[in-house]
């Protein structure tokens, strides 16, 4: 690879090229769409190139670039990736293409701004996953909010204003607390450099403070219970592409933050807070699942199911063992694929019917069999049927959770029953039972829509049958991370875990 | 036989599924059955080759590829073909093949013809993966995959609300069992470090004496693992308390009921218990639970079958009951007897279902026995084959069901435990009931006078040969499949048990004399005949008796007719409370109330406070000067106090 700055290309190519689109005449809609599609495709190809040259055998940061930015404050443009971030970048580049494709006819006004916004989001997302400098990380973290805010606020549904403001305030409050943490850390250590900070053994009290400061930002993003209520509103009101990016990438940033910052910087604090994190995760799994049972809006149901699925992710992460963390990471990717696909599916049918109410559907399988078949596959992937990707992640997380804390593992496993109940209920209401004749006019999937869903269909089975293709990227980085976390304080962790056991 | 040929056994149906699903509707149309039948026929041939390989002593056990690796956790996809698997391969591919052929006639003209055959292929693949697995993870894969096929096929006529509901119910109820099963698999890995059968079964004995602490109790580890695995079996094989899905599953097309919900998938639980008998054998508690669950289910389901009028439901409850027998056998350590019954049952029960399907075909979908009668002369092949199947299930000597059922009852009786004697008693009573309801069905459906509509009568006909040929072939199985296991007391060689012995060594029970064995056998024969006689008297001779009886015991009748109200009970204690909690406590109170209250409350409060504070800025000078003076006083007081 030499010194080729592939990460900078991945971050700034969509941003710069996206801004270039603004130069086009707004009346040339197909040119604008085509340009956006080409840009996202090119970026995906770049990311494939990165994947090809990635070295799975090491846990050190790769493709590192470090440039002075504000030397007086020791702020650097410092990026690099490892086995934890690389798959998230791949997912981001792939999902962006699909988002552009699915919006082709769904977005009618301000087309130029929409696609520019999507490309800006892509750049910022990748920036978040690459940053190794806390200041830079914060910039990307916040920068991503602005286009996202606009995507929901401008192209969203009827109640978009409320949803946007809620989303913005929620995440802003969290981010500001994280900013305080970053500043305090800088005041005490004089650096924003993550690698340098990781080598310092921060005092326990500082770790505890930092853990909670970061937690505020990450928990909102994940979203963890009880700070999840922005998600159903934002997901429901966002345009399809917005929902997909929210579900597939944006909420993964919280979980990624735990892995990239909270655990390595505050290992002792993380260990001592594990019980709380496990409890919150288990609540999210069950609570998020149960609440799905009574939803009347398809999108809202899938949104709440995200709360449940992300509970599995955080459970895995805070199980703090190999299966848990790898399962959690895999589940991040899987949820991106599955829920991304489900939101794409909903967007595709919404474009035809203009309703998201479950009661307006029924018997759709007769009119759109191909669509029904694909939706069925994604439904069963969400339920975690073996052979699909959802199973592997969920199983590893439950295994890891069970290993770390038996009651947590058992309670998380009830999620598989609830998950089956609400997803099959939804499927029944929409696709089975007496057909609603008003739906008969709707055509089955077009070639473009098939092109959007087929890559995800492929991934569902590819990851489900050959998960080692993804897990192999994680092994080194995860074992390195866990070694760092579990190094010192095993004794202390044990005592707390034991206290936790005594509750049950 | 080379490795590749073993792989082809499940692979061919999988390929057939993919091809038929994608191309079937557009290109094959009415010939969509061709590829699936060729695939399952090839699998059948390969299965026979595998069996002959096993007979000559070659056990195949090889990993194909590594499925999941994470830290110390590693599972593979691999195949084990030993005596147990070989028997299952024969059962699965034979019944599947016959059901495929039968479906050509039965499903003729259906809109989803190609979809139906694609699903059948997918099922065959899944079931073969299940029985050929050499580790728990792949077993789980097959386990869930057959559940998916069951869901798809029960809900095949998805536009029918009851069919769609039944499919969902089957899957969700099974998930309750799988919840336990999955935890059992996880515990096996955590304590033994592997999920390979080889490793697990050879190391499980080392866990004896280990206990785990649950909810303040110390529980024997092996018992816990065995019971968790058994949870899965209870779900899949429709035992109490998770039996509720199977009768509803009759919403699916009848060939599906025969293949999935009688002969193969529902026996997966029995297969799994037999496969993991090394674990169950180490726990008396678990064994007793298995035996008693089986025994109670056998009699429980049989009592319900006594009064049902839906021809398929009678057979469905009969299946639940017969599965109970198989667990009874496993629970007393007679795994080979359980598998023997699984194997004979596959033939006579599939036959019963396909005959029922043939009747429905003639009756234009009618299911109510009360509207049939006298069909004997219109459809002789269906009548005679169903009669033989009923004789077989009733335990008439010489037929398949006799040998396997007798084997179970004898093993239970001679196990030398109270549990054994208890389940023997349950099984014997259930045998009486079985004979009764089976012949009630025969008499009401085929004898007497026709009670349906004129239109139906006009259309009565024997089914086409694609349907009757499978009936005749299965009938051969229902008669002869038991001959491989004739007990030594009748001059046989107990060939089946000997064949299985390398996998499943018999647990030796107390020695009982030949005379006792003869008496037990005689009793079960007599009981079967008595059951048939009672049915004959009630439904052929004194036809007013049934009504009199139900009038005499109205409550008993109502409870049985309503299946002990189990569905209603679950609705009351699980479905409704969960929905109420989800709606009331979680959604309204917590989510909308507390959390959203705070989230929306804080901005509202800030808004409120600032609007109040803004009133201080009144612009009136006297107000300002008064506040100024008040402030001065306050400051002065503070200063003075200090």
């Amino acid at each position: 690879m030499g010194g080729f700055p592939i990460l900078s290309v991945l971050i700034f190519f969509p941003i710069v090229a996206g801004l270039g689109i603004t130069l086009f005449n707004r009346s040339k809609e197909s040119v604008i769409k085509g340009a956006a599609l080409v840009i996202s495709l090119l970026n995906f190809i770049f990311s494939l190139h990165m994947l090809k040259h990635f070295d799975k055998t090491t846990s050190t940061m790769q493709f590192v670039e470090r440039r002075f930015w504000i030397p007086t404050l020791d702020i650097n443009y410092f990026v690099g990736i490892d086995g934890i971030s690389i798959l998230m970048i791949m997912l981001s580049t792939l999902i962006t293409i699909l988002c552009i494709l699915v919006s082709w006819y769904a977005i009618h006004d301000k087309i130029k701004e929409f696609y520019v916004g999507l490309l800006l989001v892509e750049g910022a997302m990748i920036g978040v996953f690459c940053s190794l400098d806390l200041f830079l990380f914060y910039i990307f973290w916040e920068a991503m909010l602005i286009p996202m805010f606009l995507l929901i606020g401008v192209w969203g549904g009827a109640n978009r204003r409320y949803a946007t403001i809620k989303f913005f305030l929620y995440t802003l409050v969290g981010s500001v607390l994280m900013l305080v943490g970053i500043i305090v850390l800088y005041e005490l250590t004089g650096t924003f450099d993550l690698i340098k900070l990781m080598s310092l053994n921060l005092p326990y009290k500082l770790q505890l403070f930092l853990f909670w400061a970061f937690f505020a930002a990450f928990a909102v993003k994940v979203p963890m219970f009880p700070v999840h209520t922005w998600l159903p509103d934002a997901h429901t009101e966002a345009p399809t592409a917005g929902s997909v990016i929210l579900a597939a990438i944006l909420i993964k940033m919280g979980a990624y933050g735990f892995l990239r910052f909270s655990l390595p910087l505050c290992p002792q604090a993380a260990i001592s807070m594990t019980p709380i994190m496990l409890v919150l995760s288990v609540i999210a799994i069950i609570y998020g699942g149960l609440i799905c049972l009574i939803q009347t809006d398809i999108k809202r149901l899938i949104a709440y199911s995200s709360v449940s699925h992300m509970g599995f992710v955080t459970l895995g992460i805070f199980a703090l063992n190999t299966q848990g963390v790898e399962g959690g990471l895999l589940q991040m990717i899987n949820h991106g694929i599955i829920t991304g696909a489900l939101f794409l599916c909903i967007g595709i049918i919404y474009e035809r019917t203009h309703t998201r109410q479950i009661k307006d559907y029924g018997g759709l399988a007769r009119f759109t069999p191909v669509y029904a078949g694909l939706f069925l596959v994604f439904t069963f992937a969400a339920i975690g049927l073996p052979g699909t990707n959802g199973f592997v992640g969920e199983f590893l997380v439950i295994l890891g959770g069970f290993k770390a804390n038996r009651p947590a593992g058992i309670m998380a496993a009830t999620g598989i029953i609830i998950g089956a109940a609400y997803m099959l209920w939804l499927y029944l209401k929409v696709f089975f039972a007496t057909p609603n004749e008003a739906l008969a006019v709707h055509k089955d999937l077009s070639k473009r829509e098939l092109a959007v869903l087929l890559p995800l269909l492929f991934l569902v089975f590819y990851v489900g049958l050959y998960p080692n293709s993804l897990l192999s990227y994680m092994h080194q980085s995860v074992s390195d991370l866990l070694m760092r976390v579990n190094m010192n304080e095993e004794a202390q962790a044990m005592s707390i875990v034991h206290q936790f056991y005594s509750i049950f | 036989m080379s490795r590749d040929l073993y792989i082809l056994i499940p692979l061919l149906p999988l390929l057939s599924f993919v091809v038929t699903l994608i191309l079937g509707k557009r290109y094959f149309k009415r010939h969509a059955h061709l590829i699936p039948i060729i695939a399952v026929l090839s699998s059948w041939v390969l299965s026979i080759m595998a069996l002959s390989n096993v007979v000559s002593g070659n056990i195949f056990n090889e990993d194909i590829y590594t499925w999941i690796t994470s830290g110390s956790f590693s599972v593979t996809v691999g195949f084990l073909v030993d005596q147990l698997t070989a028997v299952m391969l024969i059962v699965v591919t034979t019944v599947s093949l016959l059901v495929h052929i039968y479906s050509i006639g039965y499903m003729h003209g259906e809109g989803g013809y190609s979809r139906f055959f694609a699903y059948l292929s997918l099922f065959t693949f899944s079931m073969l993966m299940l029985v050929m697995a050499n580790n728990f993870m792949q077993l789980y894969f097959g386990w869930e995959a057959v559940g998916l096929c069951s869901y798809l096929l029960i809900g095949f006529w998805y536009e029918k609300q009851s069919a769609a509901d039944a499919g969902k119910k089957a899957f969700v109820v099974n998930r309750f069992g799988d919840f336990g099963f999955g935890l059992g698999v996880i515990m096996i890995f955590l304590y033994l470090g592997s999920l390979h059968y080889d490793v697990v079964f050879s190391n499980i004995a080392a866990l004896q004496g280990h206990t785990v602490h649950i909810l303040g109790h110390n529980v024997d580890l092996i018992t816990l693992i065995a019971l968790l695995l058994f949870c899965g079996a209870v779900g899949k094989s429709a035992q109490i308390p998770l039996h509720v899905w199977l009768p509803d599953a009759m919403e699916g097309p009848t060939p599906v009921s025969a293949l999935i919900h009688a002969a193969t998938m529902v026996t997966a639980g029995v297969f799994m218990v037999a496969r993991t008998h090394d674990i169950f054998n180490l726990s008396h508690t678990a064994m007793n639970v298995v035996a008693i669950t089986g025994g109670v289910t056998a009699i429980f389901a049989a009592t319900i079958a006594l009064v049902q009028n839906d021809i398929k439901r009678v057979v469905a409850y009969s299946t639940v009951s017969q599965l109970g027998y198989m667990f009874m056998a496993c629970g007393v350590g007679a795994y080979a007897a359980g598998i023997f019954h699984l194997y004979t049952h596959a033939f006579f029960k599939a036959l019963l279902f396909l005959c029922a399907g043939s009747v429905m075909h003639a009756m234009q979908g009618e299911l109510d026995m009360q509207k049939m009668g006298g069909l004997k002369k219109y459809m002789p092949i269906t009548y005679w084959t169903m009669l033989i199947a009923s004789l077989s299930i009733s335990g008439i000597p010489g037929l398949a069901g006799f040998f396997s059922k007798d084997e179970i009852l004898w093993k239970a009786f001679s196990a030398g435990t109270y549990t054994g004697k208890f389940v023997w008693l349950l099984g014997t009573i259930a045998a009486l009931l079985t004979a009764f309801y089976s012949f009630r069905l025969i008499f009401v459906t085929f004898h007497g006078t026709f009670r349906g509509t004129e239109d139906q009568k006009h259309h009565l006909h024997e089914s086409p040969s694609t349907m009757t040929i499978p009936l005749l072939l299965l009938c051969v199985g229902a008669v002869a499949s038991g001959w491989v296991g004739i007990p030594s007391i009748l001059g046989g060689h107990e060939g089946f048990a000997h064949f299985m012995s390398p996998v499943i060594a018999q647990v030796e029970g107390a020695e009982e004399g030949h005379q006792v064995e003869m008496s037990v056998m005689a009793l079960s024969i007599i009981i079967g005949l008595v059951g048939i006689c009672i049915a004959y008297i009630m439904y052929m001779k004194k036809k007013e008796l049934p009504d009199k009886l139900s009038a005499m015991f109205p409550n008993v009748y109502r409870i049985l007719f309503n299946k002990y109200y189990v569905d209603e009970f679950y609705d009351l204690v699980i479905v409704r409370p969960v929905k109420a909690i989800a709606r009331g406590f979680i959604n309204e109170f917590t989510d909308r109330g507390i959390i959203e209250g705070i989230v929306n409350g804080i901005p509202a409060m800030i808004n409120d406070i600032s609007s109040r504070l803004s009133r201080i800025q009144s612009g009136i000078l006297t107000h300002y000067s008064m506040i100024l003076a008040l402030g001065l006083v306050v400051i002065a007081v503070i200063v003075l106090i200090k």
Side-chain angles (χ1 to χ4, degrees), chain A residues 143-221:
Chain A
M144 140 124 229
L145 270 187
I146 298 160
M148 206 60 227
F149 175 80
L150 293 174
L151 282 183
I152 307 174
V154 177
W155 292 274
N159 198 14
R160 59 179 181 268
R161 195 170 294 234
Y162 171 72
T164 330
I165 291 178
K166 194 171 181 182
F167 164 65
F168 195 76
L169 286 180
Y170 242 121
T171 43
L172 192 71
V173 169
S175 311
V176 165
L177 290 174
M178 175 170 78
L179 182 63
V180 173
I182 291 175
I183 292 170
V184 169
L185 189 61
Y186 176 73
E187 284 298 318
L188 293 174
T189 61
T191 182
F192 289 108
D193 184 328
L194 180 67
I195 305 297
K196 260 190 228 164
L197 286 167
M198 269 161 51
S199 64
L200 304 173
N201 241 329
L202 302 175
Y204 180 69
K205 287 228 167 119
L206 178 63
Q207 286 194 18
L208 214 52
F209 167 77
L210 277 179
F211 182 85
W212 286 109
F214 281 127
F215 176 81
F218 300 152
V220 167
K221 272 270 159 59

Side-chain angles (χ1 to χ4, degrees), chain A residues 31 41 73 90 100 149 220 274 297 304 340 428:
Chain A
V31 177
L41 276 171
L73 295 175
M90 294 308 302
I100 288 173
F149 175 80
V220 167
T274 300
D297 180 312
Y304 268 116
L428 192 157

